[in-house]
Amino acid sequence: MTHPAQPKASHFINGEYVEDTAGTPIPVIYAATGEQIATVYAATPAIVEQALSTAKEAQKAWAKMTGTERGRILRRAADIMRERNHDLSVLETYDTGKPLQETLVADATSGADALEYFGGLAASLTGEHIPLGEDWVYTKREALGLCVGIGAWNYPTQIACWKGAPALACGNSMVFKPSETTPLCALKVAEILIEAGAPAGVFNVVQGMGEVGGALVTDPRVDKVSLTGSVPTGKKVYVAAAEGMKHVTMELGGKSPLIIFDDADIDNAVGGAINGNFYSSGQVCSNGTRVFVQKGIKEKFLARLAERTGNAILGDPMDEATSFGPMVTENQMNIVLGYIEKGKEEGARLICGGNRADKDGYFIEPTVFADVTDDMTIAREEIFGPVMSVLDFETEEEVVARANDTEFGLSAGVFTKDFTRAHRVIGNLEACSCFINSYNDAPVEAPFGGVKASGVGRENSKEAIKHFSQVKSVYVRMGDVEAAF
Ligand code: NAD
């Protein structure tokens, strides 16, 4: 019997499912059991061509609709997503292995928030009037044209919506390529947009690996590329986009600092460290994986952290009591286990976890290392798994310098009761998405993105509009034209 997660076909183009089994088969594996639950086929050149030509054509009429009309469709799609939250969450769990306890509140719901938010903004994308004596200039905010979205595997529904919603609100069309690891959820987003009234062809989904992504990025018809992925992929995609002078948004990796001063509320700080390391089994780009704890509270912090981490419930992700799921793939599990071995070899002190869990599927115990030093591999490289490194510090000046000593700059957090210090420290940290006495909140109203190697551009909030539109400036002369001859 066909598994309920198996989609009707691999791609969604011009308002309908499309299949081409000549493409490379991509098995979809349920991470909690290792069982194959679906197959999709990578896009062939014919599929890529169909998606791009359809999206290019559909964009013209979509951009001519009023913002109110476009916004209404996006907001209707948000309502449909919320109505179907349970089914979409089950699919997200099949796609990623993340526990239903999380997907019910974090995935289709945050996708719906993006559709609703950008649907609400669509009608207000106006220009300005600039008086120049009798003459004047007016500006118009125009769509970029055809946008390509490329997703990572950790938030397949959310990433499709974080890119698709602002792109469509501004009058662009999109061809979205999900990660080959989690290809299922974006198809549902495309289906729902059509059901909500989006014209066929404005949001299309094609499957495939990096090669298909590369074909999309280099096509001359494409005006903008928005990638969520790792820094090495980001560097390649940025170069390829520059070749065609395309706009880019790069949402890349991180190794973010979470700084806990000795006046912090310990339980809140432990909660922040748990949210910043173990949500989605640590597969979150903005995670605060370098937890700097001031020496005075170190042992108290570690004791409470170990106690609370021991309460994680590993198990069947479809059971709503489960609070900690598997790694997305066997390969990712092995990468993370490799980092855990490095941590042990390089002399970090294992506080808890440190092993593959004794279960089917790709589970790793939530792992905490203490006495981590800045030069250790686990403190320098993005692990993308449930491995927290706790580092000691003594002074504010010292911790800020050490926190910034990395190529990454996605997020940063600080826990302290001293608000002057909190704002001063955040002001000195090199990151975009920052938190005071909290960690990993990502409301659609707030800009999200990275500095340094962690990215270019911003998603969410009004900032995202700037990255999916451009300004036209029109000079209007009322009198005669003076010319030299
Ligand atoms: P990845 O870089 O391996 O792949 C990302 C996407 O890029 C995939 O869809 C892949 O098929 C595609 N791709 C690969 N090579 C390509 C090429 N040459 N041209 C075009 N597309 C290509 O990343 P991943 O392993 O799927 O995801 C994990 C990474 O994503 C982590 O580094 C994580 O930090 C990052 N991430 C960042 C954010 C953010 O918003 N900053 C969010 C989630 C994940």
Side-chain angles (χ1 to χ4, degrees), residues 150-154 159 177-180 208-210 213-214 217 227-231 233 236-237 251-254 285 382 384 410 448 454 459:
I150 300 179
W153 41 256
N154 54 348
I159 293 172
K177 190 199 82 63
S179 163
E180 57 273 33
M209 280 71 88
V217 172
L227 169 81
T228 297
S230 60
V231 172
T233 303
K236 280 189 227 156
V237 172
E251 289 291 352
L252 309 176
C285 53
E382 185 186 44
F384 225 58
L410 188 53
F448 184 86
S454 292
E459 292 197 309

Coordinates of all heavy atoms in Angstrom, one line a residue, residues 150-154 159 177-180 208-210 213-214 217 227-231 233 236-237 251-254 285 382 384 410 448 454 459, ligand 1:
I150 N 15.6 28.2 -2.5 CA 16.2 26.9 -2.3 C 16.2 26.7 -0.8 O 16.7 27.6 0.0 CB 17.6 26.9 -2.9 CG1 17.5 27.1 -4.4 CG2 18.3 25.5 -2.6 CD1 18.9 27.1 -5.1
G151 N 15.7 25.5 -0.3 CA 15.5 25.3 1.1 C 16.5 24.3 1.7 O 17.0 23.4 1.0
A152 N 16.7 24.5 3.0 CA 17.4 23.5 3.8 C 16.4 22.5 4.3 O 15.2 22.7 4.1 CB 18.1 24.2 5.0
W153 N 16.9 21.4 5.1 CA 15.9 20.4 5.4 C 15.3 20.5 6.8 O 14.4 19.7 7.2 CB 16.6 19.0 5.3 CG 18.0 18.9 5.8 CD1 19.1 18.9 5.1 CD2 18.5 18.9 7.2 NE1 20.3 18.8 5.9 CE2 19.9 18.8 7.2 CE3 17.8 18.9 8.4 CZ2 20.6 18.7 8.3 CZ3 18.6 18.9 9.6 CH2 20.0 18.8 9.5
N154 N 15.7 21.5 7.6 CA 15.2 21.5 9.0 C 13.7 22.0 9.1 O 13.0 21.6 10.0 CB 16.1 22.2 9.9 CG 16.5 23.6 9.4 OD1 16.2 24.0 8.3 ND2 17.1 24.3 10.3
I159 N 10.3 27.3 5.6 CA 11.2 27.9 4.7 C 10.5 28.3 3.3 O 10.7 29.4 2.8 CB 12.5 27.1 4.4 CG1 13.3 27.0 5.7 CG2 13.3 27.6 3.3 CD1 14.5 26.0 5.6
K177 N 12.9 25.1 -4.7 CA 13.4 23.7 -4.7 C 13.7 23.4 -3.2 O 14.5 23.9 -2.6 CB 14.8 23.7 -5.4 CG 15.2 22.2 -5.6 CD 16.7 22.0 -5.9 CE 17.6 22.1 -4.7 NZ 17.4 21.1 -3.7
P178 N 12.9 22.4 -2.7 CA 13.1 22.0 -1.3 C 14.4 21.2 -1.2 O 15.0 20.8 -2.2 CB 11.9 21.1 -1.0 CG 11.1 21.0 -2.2 CD 11.8 21.6 -3.3
S179 N 14.9 21.0 0.0 CA 16.0 20.1 0.2 C 15.6 18.7 -0.3 O 14.5 18.3 0.0 CB 16.4 20.1 1.7 OG 17.2 19.0 1.9
E180 N 16.6 18.0 -0.9 CA 16.3 16.6 -1.3 C 16.0 15.7 -0.1 O 15.4 14.7 -0.3 CB 17.5 16.1 -2.1 CG 18.9 16.1 -1.4 CD 19.6 17.4 -1.6 OE1 19.0 18.5 -1.7 OE2 20.9 17.4 -1.7
G208 N 15.0 18.1 -6.4 CA 16.4 17.7 -6.9 C 17.5 18.1 -5.9 O 17.3 18.7 -4.9
M209 N 18.7 17.6 -6.3 CA 19.9 17.9 -5.5 C 20.5 19.2 -5.9 O 19.9 20.0 -6.6 CB 20.9 16.8 -5.6 CG 20.6 15.5 -4.8 SD 19.2 14.6 -5.4 CE 19.9 13.5 -6.6
G210 N 21.7 19.4 -5.5 CA 22.4 20.7 -5.8 C 22.5 21.0 -7.3 O 22.4 22.1 -7.7
G213 N 19.4 22.8 -8.2 CA 19.6 24.1 -7.6 C 20.5 25.0 -8.5 O 20.1 26.1 -8.9
G214 N 21.6 24.4 -9.0 CA 22.5 25.1 -9.8 C 21.9 25.5 -11.1 O 22.1 26.6 -11.6
V217 N 19.7 28.5 -10.4 CA 20.4 29.7 -10.1 C 21.1 30.4 -11.3 O 21.2 31.6 -11.4 CB 21.5 29.4 -9.0 CG1 22.4 30.6 -8.7 CG2 20.8 28.9 -7.7
L227 N 18.5 31.6 -0.7 CA 18.9 30.3 -0.3 C 18.9 30.2 1.2 O 19.4 31.1 1.9 CB 20.4 30.0 -0.8 CG 21.1 28.8 -0.2 CD1 20.6 27.5 -0.9 CD2 22.6 28.9 -0.2
T228 N 18.5 29.1 1.7 CA 18.7 28.7 3.1 C 19.5 27.4 3.1 O 19.1 26.4 2.5 CB 17.4 28.5 3.9 OG1 16.7 29.7 3.9 CG2 17.6 28.0 5.3
G229 N 20.7 27.5 3.7 CA 21.6 26.3 3.6 C 22.9 26.6 4.3 O 23.0 27.5 5.1
S230 N 23.9 25.8 4.1 CA 25.2 25.9 4.8 C 26.1 27.0 4.1 O 25.8 27.4 3.0 CB 25.9 24.5 4.7 OG 26.1 24.2 3.4
V231 N 27.1 27.4 4.8 CA 28.0 28.4 4.3 C 28.7 27.9 3.0 O 28.7 28.7 2.1 CB 29.0 28.8 5.4 CG1 30.1 29.8 4.8 CG2 28.3 29.5 6.6
T233 N 27.7 25.9 0.7 CA 26.7 26.0 -0.4 C 26.4 27.5 -0.7 O 26.3 27.9 -1.9 CB 25.4 25.3 -0.1 OG1 25.7 24.0 0.3 CG2 24.4 25.3 -1.2
K236 N 29.0 29.1 -3.0 CA 28.8 28.6 -4.4 C 27.6 29.3 -5.1 O 27.7 29.8 -6.2 CB 28.6 27.1 -4.5 CG 29.8 26.3 -4.3 CD 29.4 24.8 -4.6 CE 30.0 23.9 -3.6 NZ 29.4 22.7 -3.4
V237 N 26.5 29.4 -4.4 CA 25.3 30.0 -5.0 C 25.5 31.5 -5.1 O 25.0 32.0 -6.2 CB 24.1 29.6 -4.1 CG1 22.8 30.3 -4.6 CG2 23.8 28.1 -4.1
E251 N 20.6 32.8 3.7 CA 20.4 32.4 5.1 C 21.2 31.2 5.4 O 20.9 30.1 5.1 CB 18.9 32.1 5.4 CG 18.0 33.3 5.3 CD 18.2 34.3 6.4 OE1 18.9 34.0 7.4 OE2 17.6 35.4 6.4
L252 N 22.4 31.4 6.1 CA 23.3 30.3 6.2 C 23.6 29.9 7.6 O 22.7 30.1 8.5 CB 24.6 30.8 5.5 CG 24.4 31.3 4.1 CD1 25.7 31.8 3.5 CD2 23.8 30.3 3.1
G253 N 24.7 29.2 7.8 CA 24.9 28.5 9.1 C 25.3 29.5 10.2 O 25.5 30.7 10.0
G254 N 25.5 28.9 11.4 CA 26.0 29.7 12.6 C 26.7 28.9 13.6 O 26.7 27.7 13.5
C285 N 19.5 26.6 12.7 CA 20.7 27.5 12.3 C 21.1 28.5 13.3 O 22.2 28.8 13.5 CB 20.4 28.2 11.0 SG 18.8 29.1 11.0
E382 N 30.1 24.5 13.0 CA 28.6 24.2 13.2 C 28.4 22.7 13.2 O 28.8 22.0 12.2 CB 27.9 24.9 12.0 CG 26.3 24.8 12.2 CD 25.5 25.3 11.0 OE1 25.9 24.9 9.9 OE2 24.5 26.0 11.2
F384 N 25.1 21.2 14.0 CA 23.8 21.0 13.5 C 23.2 19.7 14.1 O 22.7 18.8 13.4 CB 23.7 21.0 12.0 CG 22.5 21.8 11.5 CD1 22.4 23.1 11.8 CD2 21.5 21.2 10.7 CE1 21.3 23.9 11.4 CE2 20.4 22.0 10.2 CZ 20.3 23.3 10.6
L410 N 25.2 34.8 13.0 CA 23.8 34.7 12.8 C 23.0 35.2 14.0 O 22.3 36.2 13.9 CB 23.4 33.2 12.5 CG 21.9 33.0 12.1 CD1 21.5 33.8 11.0 CD2 21.8 31.5 11.7
F448 N 15.1 38.6 10.4 CA 15.9 37.4 10.7 C 17.0 37.3 9.6 O 16.7 37.4 8.4 CB 15.0 36.2 10.6 CG 15.7 34.9 11.0 CD1 15.8 34.5 12.4 CD2 16.3 34.1 10.1 CE1 16.5 33.4 12.7 CE2 17.0 33.0 10.4 CZ 17.1 32.6 11.8
S454 N 27.5 34.2 7.9 CA 26.1 33.7 8.1 C 25.1 34.2 7.2 O 23.9 33.7 7.2 CB 25.7 33.9 9.6 OG 26.4 33.1 10.4
E459 N 15.3 38.0 6.2 CA 13.9 37.4 6.0 C 13.0 38.0 7.0 O 13.4 38.6 8.0 CB 14.0 35.9 6.0 CG 14.8 35.3 4.9 CD 14.5 33.8 4.6 OE1 14.6 33.0 5.6 OE2 14.2 33.5 3.5
Ligands
NAD1 P1 23.0 22.5 2.2 O1 23.8 23.7 2.1 O2 23.6 21.2 2.1 O3 21.8 22.5 1.2 C1 20.9 23.6 1.1 C2 20.1 23.6 -0.2 O4 21.0 24.0 -1.2 C3 19.6 22.2 -0.6 O5 18.3 22.4 -1.1 C4 20.6 21.7 -1.6 O6 20.0 20.8 -2.5 C5 20.9 23.0 -2.3 N1 22.2 23.1 -3.0 C6 23.3 22.4 -2.7 N2 24.3 22.7 -3.6 C7 23.8 23.6 -4.4 C8 24.3 24.3 -5.6 N3 25.6 24.2 -6.0 N4 23.5 25.2 -6.2 C9 22.2 25.4 -5.8 N5 21.7 24.7 -4.7 C10 22.5 23.8 -4.1 O7 22.3 22.7 3.7 P2 21.4 21.6 4.5 O8 22.4 20.6 5.0 O9 20.2 21.2 3.7 O10 20.9 22.5 5.7 C11 21.7 22.7 6.8 C12 22.4 24.1 6.8 O11 21.4 25.1 6.5 C13 23.1 24.4 8.1 O12 24.3 25.0 7.8 C14 22.1 25.5 8.7 O13 22.7 26.4 9.6 C15 21.6 26.1 7.5 N6 20.3 26.8 7.8 C16 20.3 28.2 7.8 C17 19.1 28.8 8.1 C18 19.0 30.3 8.2 O14 17.9 30.9 8.1 N7 20.1 31.0 8.4 C19 18.0 28.1 8.4 C20 18.0 26.7 8.3 C21 19.2 26.1 8.0

